[in-house]
Amino acid sequence: MNAPLSSPKLFDCRDAFAETLEALAAADETVVAVCNDSVGSSKLGGFKTKFPERLVNVGIAEQNMVGVGAGLANGGRLPFVCAAACFLTGRALEQIKADLAYSNANVKLVGISSGMAYGELGPTHHSIEDFAWTRVLPNLPVIAPADRIETAAAVKWAASYAGPCFLRLSRVGVPDLLPEGHVFELGKANLLRDGGDVTLIANGTLTHRIVTAAGILAERGIAARVLNMATVRPIDETAIIAAARETGAILTAEEHSIFGGLGSAVAEVVVDHAPVPMKRLGVPGVFAHTGSAEMLLDEYGMTPAAIADAAAALVQRKA
């Protein structure tokens, strides 16, 4: 009798963020952390212990927090500004626009518990609009790592990048997908699986789900290409155009509204350069319900099986 297959180990990307930030701070005394009474949820406890004079907790005042980050950057510090993604982007959008993007301030925004990770707290805590709000701003790279390895690599990249950026992290555990030692490249998609029948594109918590969906499709005789599109802006147009021309159909999946996010960004490239049938999976333009992140992703058709069914239907639409 065969032994049951074990489930992959899951990791919280916030831990990789915290460990990498502490290592950066140990090597560079200009690194500081700013938060909104979120030391615990941002995993900044270790940072606080090691570098207490370099942690600024402004309290529940996100607009002020972003302004403090901009001031620290103007004074020669390297601030990582951390808060729940829903409040960081929704409450402080004007400051992000004017103080960071317009001013090109060297501030690293870290949106914690993005998507529907705070599911039981309901629609006020869902962060399913943040891609749309942030990717429209000039000078602001928008990044959603797929696993702990890519998270660590993206944090290192952010520290070396001269300008503002937005890192979107979840608290939901995900398995490793990228190889150890992975180096993050802004605007570069990662090919996780090749295929010629359809392309599946995701980032963040949805990436491992489309990898699993591709396996289900393979059992049905459908070869799916899988792209991890961690950078939402600037998006990898080359990879998208190649996928459209070589596979003839594209499905996107995201823990975000289907309006204004990853699917919209991909569709903009497709319609301009290589029109093919597309399907955008995500929250369908509603306030997501209250419930666990797992339950909500299932409800909105983003289980691996549902993704595979949607991709198979999409293949049938190909000319």
Side-chain angles (χ1 to χ4, degrees):
M1 182 176 179
N2 292 330
L5 295 175
S6 59
S7 299
K9 187 174 182 180
L10 304 181
F11 299 93
D12 186 336
C13 291
R14 296 177 300 166
D15 291 325
F17 158 70
E19 292 167 7
T20 307
L21 183 63
E22 290 169 28
L24 290 169
D28 181 357
E29 65 179 13
T30 68
V31 172
V32 296
V34 186
C35 70
N36 64 333
D37 201 24
S38 60
V39 172
S41 61
S42 296
K43 297 282 187 172
L44 292 173
F47 190 99
K48 179 180 180 180
T49 299
K50 295 175 183 177
F51 315 103
E53 74 287 356
R54 288 197 262 161
L55 174 66
V56 181
N57 186 346
V58 304
I60 302 174
E62 289 79 8
Q63 295 171 330
N64 186 41
M65 177 183 64
V66 172
V68 168
L72 287 166
N74 290 338
R77 298 287 184 168
L78 181 56
F80 283 76
V81 175
C82 312
C86 58
F87 303 126
L88 174 62
T89 57
R91 190 169 291 160
L93 186 59
E94 180 183 3
Q95 285 69 31
I96 293 171
K97 174 184 175 181
D99 296 347
L100 304 191
Y102 178 70
S103 302
N104 201 34
N106 194 26
V107 176
K108 319 306 170 181
L109 299 173
V110 185
I112 301 294
S113 302
S114 61
M116 296 177 287
Y118 277 138
E120 291 87 350
L121 296 179
T124 58
H125 284 62
H126 297 328
S127 189
I128 55 174
E129 307 89 4
D130 49 0
F131 280 153
W133 289 337
T134 55
R135 80 177 184 92
V136 73
L137 296 176
N139 301 328
L140 188 71
V142 177
I143 302 159
D147 64 7
R148 67 179 179 96
I149 296 170
E150 188 170 37
T151 297
V155 172
K156 293 175 185 175
W157 171 87
S160 68
Y161 176 71
C165 62
F166 173 54
L167 301 179
R168 184 187 200 249
L169 307 182
S170 180
R171 66 194 297 134
V172 176
V174 292
D176 287 345
L177 295 172
L178 281 297
E180 292 286 356
H182 170 71
V183 176
F184 179 79
E185 295 182 61
L186 182 69
K188 180 71 174 178
N190 308 116
L191 178 65
L192 302 183
R193 180 171 182 148
D194 207 357
D197 295 328
V198 64
T199 297
L200 311 181
I201 301 176
N203 58 25
T205 57
L206 267 293
T207 305
H208 78 94
R209 288 174 176 248
I210 65 169
V211 170
T212 303
I216 296 172
L217 289 168
E219 294 174 356
R220 303 182 189 177
I222 298 173
R225 179 176 301 183
V226 176
L227 294 178
N228 170 42
M229 195 70 67
T231 307
V232 178
R233 178 171 182 166
I235 203 158
D236 190 342
E237 293 190 0
T238 300
I240 295 168
I241 294 168
R245 291 174 176 168
E246 294 167 11
T247 71
I250 294 177
L251 178 146
T252 61
E254 59 192 307
E255 195 176 353
H256 187 276
S257 170
I258 61 171
F259 298 104
L262 174 65
S264 296
V266 171
E268 289 160 12
V269 177
V270 170
V271 75
D272 280 348
H273 300 283
V276 295
M278 272 194 67
K279 177 65 176 179
R280 294 171 298 135
L281 296 179
V283 180
V286 299
F287 288 109
H289 299 156
T290 300
S292 70
E294 186 74 22
M295 184 204 82
L296 292 169
L297 289 171
D298 292 353
E299 178 175 348
Y300 296 121
M302 287 181 279
T303 63
I307 293 169
D309 287 344
L314 183 61
V315 170
Q316 298 302 313
R317 290 172 47 197
K318 291 169 63 174

